[in-house]
Amino acid sequence: MSWAIPVKTEHMRSQEKHAPSMRYAEDIYAVASTLKDYHALEIGGAWGFSTLAILEAGAKSLQTVDPNIMAECHREAEASGYSNHVWNVVRSDKFWQENTDVEFGLIYVDGSHLYNDVVNDLYEAWKRLMPSGLLMIDDWEHKNNIKADGITSEYGVSLACFEFWKDHVDQVVDVGIHGRALWFKK
């Protein structure tokens, strides 16, 4: 791939040799680049990889929702010269309650991985996704979705994604996987 994440901070310099993180950013960039002229929402900004990938892919604006005040997302966006990034330091459930009338062309979900939180994020995101928009999810294939006993799970991302798809199959125009990124098109 010809794109590479911008490396402008010590944090990103310390991460740039971590191949899984760089592939993850490339996956997000590749999917987000398929859209044109869109506003984006990111649930979970943490290290800033997805933030930079979405902004670099051409989002007109990006709102990130992450309650962790130590998240790197906004520092990375600022260091790369992006003034079109807004960081909402709040849990996603509160963001959804306070933002009922917004719409986005891309919504990326990588916040809490607990089943109930993921279900809420997916269903609320779908309500705010514009026609032809993309809902992208990370960690749907993470090993912590299933424990060794095959019953219990630390994460609930996989189950939430499959249930979401089942409940919205008549509204989903397309579905795909690009590396770690699972996406649904409205």
Side-chain angles (χ1 to χ4, degrees):
M1 171 172 271
S2 61
W3 176 79
I5 200 161
V7 179
K8 309 280 186 178
T9 65
E10 272 308 309
H11 163 71
M12 199 54 72
R13 271 189 274 295
S14 73
Q15 298 296 314
E16 74 178 321
K17 300 280 190 250
H18 189 250
S21 295
M22 294 303 111
R23 280 193 303 276
Y24 155 69
E26 290 171 1
D27 294 341
I28 296 164
Y29 176 85
V31 175
S33 292
T34 65
L35 298 172
K36 302 288 181 238
D37 197 37
Y38 64 96
H39 297 276
L41 174 67
E42 170 186 41
I43 304 298
W47 304 113
F49 297 110
S50 51
T51 304
L52 289 176
I54 293 166
L55 288 166
E56 288 274 309
K60 290 170 67 172
S61 68
L62 173 62
Q63 283 195 57
T64 299
V65 175
D66 195 316
N68 181 358
I69 61 169
M70 299 303 289
E72 297 288 338
C73 55
H74 197 61
R75 284 184 285 281
E76 290 298 330
E78 283 183 333
S80 292
Y82 287 104
S83 59
N84 58 342
H85 179 252
V86 176
W87 179 21
N88 301 277
V89 184
V90 65
R91 283 184 44 90
S92 61
D93 52 354
K94 186 170 182 182
F95 176 84
W96 296 127
Q97 290 170 358
E98 295 174 355
N99 293 275
T100 57
D101 60 349
V102 294
E103 282 191 323
F104 300 94
L106 171 70
I107 301 177
Y108 176 71
V109 176
D110 187 17
S112 167
H113 291 43
L114 299 176
Y115 171 79
N116 289 334
D117 292 336
V118 178
V119 166
N120 189 56
D121 285 341
L122 295 177
Y123 285 72
E124 292 298 324
W126 195 254
K127 291 178 195 174
R128 291 160 181 86
L129 193 65
M130 297 176 74
S132 299
L134 288 178
L135 173 57
M136 192 176 2
I137 304 103
D138 185 41
D139 292 322
W140 61 275
E141 82 326 343
H142 196 283
K143 64 182 179 179
N144 288 347
N145 279 294
I146 299 174
K147 290 287 187 172
D149 64 9
I151 300 169
T152 60
S153 172
E154 182 179 337
Y155 288 3
V157 182
S158 293
L159 181 58
C161 286
F162 287 119
E163 288 179 358
F164 169 82
W165 190 6
K166 178 184 69 79
D167 290 347
H168 293 85
V169 71
D170 59 331
Q171 299 170 23
V172 172
V173 173
D174 199 6
V175 64
I177 297 170
H178 188 97
R180 285 177 40 184
L182 167 68
W183 54 265
F184 298 98
K185 184 172 185 172
K186 196 171 202 179

